[in-house]
Amino acid sequence: MESDAQKVCSNFDKVKEMMPEMVKLSFASSIGTEEAKKEATQKFDSINNEMELIGKQVEDIRGKYDDGEFQKYLLENCENAEKMMESLKNISKSLEE
């Protein structure tokens, strides 16, 4: 469980780093020249795809363990776990819709 938790925690760190860029690109895709909008949209889509892959990886790892036990372990051993778990749940819900 420890190595899987480290993978999940590392993914949480990646997502945390990506979020400001996602917000910036979201705004950039709606303002400026058509070329700038297109470029921002492409970058946004690329990061979004990477985040979706991370979300799927996390879900696959979580599926190997009792959910409550794994979450407890993450919360005790991963600094960004609480915030990121909530964010990933929201991303997963968005993907399902």
Side-chain angles (χ1 to χ4, degrees), residues 12 15 54-55 58 84-93:
F12 287 165
V15 170
I54 288 171
V58 169
M84 294 283 92
M85 289 175 85
E86 186 62 34
S87 295
L88 288 174
K89 284 180 186 176
N90 292 335
I91 290 170
S92 293
K93 287 179 185 177

Side-chain angles (χ1 to χ4, degrees), residues 22-71:
M22 291 284 290
V23 171
K24 178 180 152 187
L25 290 169
S26 178
F27 286 118
S29 67
S30 62
I31 57 174
T33 66
E34 289 303 313
E35 186 176 320
K37 289 181 191 179
K38 183 178 178 180
E39 183 178 334
T41 299
Q42 288 174 339
K43 288 179 182 178
F44 179 90
D45 290 344
S46 176
I47 293 172
N48 190 52
N49 289 339
E50 187 175 351
M51 288 181 67
E52 287 177 10
L53 287 174
I54 288 171
K56 288 176 184 176
Q57 290 171 351
V58 169
E59 289 302 315
D60 288 346
I61 291 171
R62 288 179 61 196
K64 295 174 10 180
Y65 303 98
D66 173 76
D67 200 40
E69 183 181 330
F70 191 66
Q71 284 186 14

Side-chain angles (χ1 to χ4, degrees), residues 73-89:
Y73 187 87
L74 282 176
L75 291 172
E76 292 172 355
N77 296 286
C78 182
E79 187 175 318
N80 293 316
E82 187 173 352
K83 291 178 185 177
M84 294 283 92
M85 289 175 85
E86 186 62 34
S87 295
L88 288 174
K89 284 180 186 176

